[in-house]
Amino acid sequence: MEPFEVYKVYLALKLHFTTKSYDITKTKGAVRAKKETFLKRKDLTSIRKMARDFNRSEIIDILVANFVSGDKWGGIFDAGLLETHKKWLTSKQRMLYNFGTDLDNILFRMEKDGVKSAIFEGGHPLIFRMIMGQDINLET
């Protein structure tokens, strides 16, 4: 991938995460960018390195991880870029593991309590009670 293309992907994602009017899924990442503006960036070396070391989907994952972490206003191509991405991947993997564990806990509790539905029961549903009792994660 060319460094200028990395820059354009960055701009599209930045617009997507910082403005309400830009939706990257509708525009398919189309943005207007000037080569002159790109060449004036202080982090040009980092962008070039990223273009050299990663493919398009990896670059998108890395940038999304950094935007989701709260770095929305520039300076995204700094030393912590890959560290933030690594933390995001770990969190994502942990969430999948937790989800599977929580489903097992729900099924076990349904069998133990003789409940036929974890969602529709008289009173508070089983899932609600398990969330309130911190037996399963809210994300589940």
Side-chain angles (χ1 to χ4, degrees), residues 57-74:
S57 65
E58 291 170 328
I59 290 169
I60 291 170
D61 276 351
I62 291 167
L63 292 174
V64 166
N66 280 270
F67 279 114
V68 169
S69 75
D71 191 353
K72 298 178 175 125
W73 308 113

Side-chain angles (χ1 to χ4, degrees), residues 37-48:
T37 306
F38 166 69
L39 294 172
K40 291 178 185 177
R41 288 188 64 94
K42 294 177 183 176
D43 52 8
L44 191 56
T45 306
S46 298
I47 295 172
R48 285 184 174 141

Side-chain angles (χ1 to χ4, degrees), residues 74-115:
I76 199 164
F77 295 100
D78 61 7
L81 178 81
L82 295 178
E83 187 62 33
T84 301
H85 179 245
K86 191 184 297 185
K87 287 178 187 175
W88 181 73
L89 283 177
T90 304
S91 173
K92 199 164 101 171
Q93 289 168 346
R94 191 175 337 119
M95 194 177 302
L96 287 172
Y97 173 78
N98 288 343
F99 181 68
T101 303
D102 286 349
L103 289 179
D104 290 341
N105 289 339
I106 292 168
L107 289 173
F108 175 75
R109 184 83 171 270
M110 286 175 69
E111 289 174 6
K112 180 182 160 201
D113 295 353
V115 176

